[in-house]
């Protein structure tokens, strides 16, 4: 009997959701960083083996929104918990159960599907007791179907988690061919790679106020992929930071992005990056749509088949 199903992974920002999904798929489909709110879209990661196909959904970290952008990405995360077969709620073992976690637990409390608690980052635990303490705290507050400590980084206990997920899934079809691992087009992947390099290279307000827009992607006769992209920021002062002294920062962003895009797509890449100021874009619905931050109703269609 072949099994399949949809499994969403939710939690506060920075708990390791994208690291987990990339680790399970052994390929990077979602960007990762130590900055909160790295992920801004729902991203399907499709795990397929001989016994089952699990469509994991990586989601943006649920947080207290300060902009329209925050509201949109929170909405993506919370609506991903509808119409799935299992919810994975991820927390790091080393942070106390806070308001954010309570908010999420209240939200999923009435879901009539199994909810697993994933206690992540156990590679950082000095001893078992630290992890056990965290398990006890959460166990007191919520009736989880399973509580599974893992490390998304070292993949400790992740095979076990996959087995438990398979146990809970029902018989079902392969929704995707074996070689499909994500639902997003190349354009999205390129845009995210560039944004990730910016997150890694900058601090303070930049990571939160930046967006990347791909204007065009064209292959020329020599097989070179020409990419034209805008880095969108909100203020003039941020433009200076992104460009850097004599363009040094922009060059670093460009070089690192180009290398990863080339590796990912297997073609030589020419990357033309421009910096553009778009005042308060995070509160502007038209701009949010333009930069790809809208409720993605396209995976709903897949679910409703
Ligand atoms: N030591 C350790 N670090 C981890 C682990 N999982 C994630 N991290 C780190 O935690 C940080 C956040 O990881 P992400 O995967 O980007 O977190 P996220 O939950 O997707 O964050 P948002 O997209 O902002 O919601 C990164 O610096 C990761 O390297 C883990 O199992 N162990
Ligand atoms: Mg993420």
């Amino acid at each position: 009997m072949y099994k399949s199903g949809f499994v969403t992974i939710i939690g506060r920002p920075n708990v390791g959701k994208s690291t987990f999904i990339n680790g399970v798929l052994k390929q990077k489909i979602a960007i990762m960083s130590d900055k909160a709110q790295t992920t801004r879209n729902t991203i399907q990661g499709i795990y397929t083996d001989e016994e089952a196909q699990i469509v994991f959904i990586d989601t943006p970290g649920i947080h207290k929104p300060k902009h329209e952008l925050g509201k949109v990405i929170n909405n993506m995360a919370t609506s991903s918990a509808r119409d799935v077969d299992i919810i994975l709620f991820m927390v790091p073992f080393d942070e106390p159960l806070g308001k954010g976690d309570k908010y999420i637990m209240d939200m999923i409390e009435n879901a009539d599907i199994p909810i697993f608690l994933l206690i992540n980052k156990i590679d950082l635990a000095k001893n078992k007791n630290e992890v056990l303490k965290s398990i006890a705290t959460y166990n007191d507050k919520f009736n989880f179907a399973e509580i599974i400590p893992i490390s998304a980084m070292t993949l400790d206990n992740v095979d076990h988690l996959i087995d438990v997920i398979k146990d809970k899934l029902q018989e079902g079809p392969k929704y995707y061919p074996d070689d499909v691992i994500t639902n997003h087009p190349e354009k999205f992947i390129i845009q995210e790679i560039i944004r990730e390099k910016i997150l890694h290279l900058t601090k303070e307000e930049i990571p939160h106020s930046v967006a990347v827009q791909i204007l065009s992607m064209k292959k020329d006769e020599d097989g070179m992929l020409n990419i034209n992209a805008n880095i969108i920021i909100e203020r003039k002062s941020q433009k200076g930071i992104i460009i850097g002294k004599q363009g040094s920062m922009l060059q670093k962003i460009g070089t690192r992005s180009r290398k990863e895009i080339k590796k990912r797509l297997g073609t030589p890449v020419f990357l033309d990056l421009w910096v553009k100021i778009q005042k308060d874009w995070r509160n502007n619905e038209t701009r949010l749509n333009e930069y790809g931050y809208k409720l993605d109703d396209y995976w709903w269609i897949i679910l409703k088949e």
Side-chain angles (χ1 to χ4, degrees), residues 14-19 33 37-39 61 120-121 123 151-153:
N14 233 1
V15 298
K17 300 178 293 299
S18 299
T19 306
S33 87
Q37 293 156 50
T38 296
T39 306
N120 192 27
K121 306 198 185 182
D123 56 293
S151 166
M153 191 169 263

Side-chain angles (χ1 to χ4, degrees), residues 19 29 58 65 78 80 92 116 123 126 131 145 147 156 161 166 189 215 278 290:
T19 306
I29 60 151
D58 184 17
T78 51
S80 83
F116 294 8
D123 56 293
K126 288 190 200 73
V131 178
I147 298 185
D156 201 6
L161 168 63
K166 282 184 188 169
I189 293 163
L215 301 171
Q278 191 61 255
E290 205 177 308

